[in-house]
């Protein structure tokens, strides 16, 4: 998780430097920082899903299948929901809905607290993963 934090922090710093250089006095810095914080929480949640299934299963094919398969399936479901039509209600079954980038940028009151739910979910999954990992009987 530290590497993810450093990567998004580095990207944020580059975004700030580039925007200040190219478009002086045009960037809403707080909106950019809030947006990247919400993105960091989304990445934490996806990573915690992968960590959870890695701790849950002993076999690599199951841990990779579920750890990568579930986020990919949810992402495809979100893409279908974004198309609209009959699949529009599928957005309520994805965790990507909790990251509302437009709401964060336009300062909607609900947008950033929804991202905090992603962070809380990530921390819960990490704690449960640690509890599962400690109880495992591993052979070397």
């Amino acid at each position: 998780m530290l590497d993810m934090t450093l990567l998004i922090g580095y990207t944020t710093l580059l975004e700030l430097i580039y925007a200040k250089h190219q478009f002086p006095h045009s960037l809403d810095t707080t909106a950019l920082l809030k947006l990247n914080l919400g993105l960091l929480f989304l990445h934490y949640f996806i990573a915690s899903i992968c960590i959870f299934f890695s701790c849950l299963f002993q076999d690599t094919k199951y841990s990779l299948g579920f750890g990568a398969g579930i986020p990919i399936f949810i992402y495809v479901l979100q893409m279908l929901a974004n198309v609209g039509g009959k699949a529009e209600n599928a957005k309520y079954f994805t965790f990507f809905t909790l990251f509302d980038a437009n709401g964060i940028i336009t300062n909607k009151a609900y947008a950033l607290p929804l991202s905090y739910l992603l962070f809380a979910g990530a921390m819960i999954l990490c704690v449960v993963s640690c509890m599962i990992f400690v109880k495992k009987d591993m052979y070397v």
Side-chain angles (χ1 to χ4, degrees):
M1 299 264 187
L2 177 65
D3 55 347
M4 204 174 328
T5 306
L6 290 174
L7 183 63
I8 290 183
Y10 177 70
T11 306
T12 303
L13 184 67
L14 286 178
E15 288 171 351
L16 288 171
I17 291 171
Y18 182 77
K20 292 286 183 184
H21 182 264
Q22 287 294 108
F23 314 106
H25 311 295
S26 297
L27 176 68
D28 185 6
T29 307
T30 57
L32 177 70
L33 293 175
K34 286 180 186 177
L35 183 67
N36 284 344
L37 182 68
L39 180 67
L40 179 66
F41 292 161
L42 178 66
H43 281 287
Y44 279 166
F45 188 76
I46 294 170
S48 66
I49 290 172
C50 298
I51 291 168
F52 174 74
F53 285 112
S54 291
C55 291
L56 186 64
F57 294 116
Q58 198 83 4
D59 200 3
T60 305
K61 65 181 174 183
Y62 295 121
S63 68
L64 287 176
F66 284 100
I70 289 177
I72 290 170
F73 174 73
I74 297 295
Y75 185 68
V76 169
L77 202 61
Q78 181 69 29
M79 288 192 317
L80 285 173
N82 288 340
V83 169
K86 293 181 180 179
E88 189 173 356
N89 289 333
K91 70 180 178 183
Y92 298 114
F93 298 107
T94 70
F95 51 79
F96 289 105
T97 305
L98 296 175
F99 177 65
D100 184 15
N102 292 329
I104 292 173
I105 291 172
T106 58
N107 256 348
K108 301 277 186 193
Y110 66 87
L112 199 57
L114 284 178
S115 294
Y116 292 143
L117 285 175
L118 286 170
F119 182 69
M123 292 302 108
I124 289 169
L125 278 173
C126 283
V127 167
V128 171
S129 299
C130 288
M131 290 169 41
I132 291 171
F133 186 75
V134 165
K135 292 183 180 184
K136 273 193 162 207
D137 185 24
M138 297 180 60
Y139 54 92
V140 181

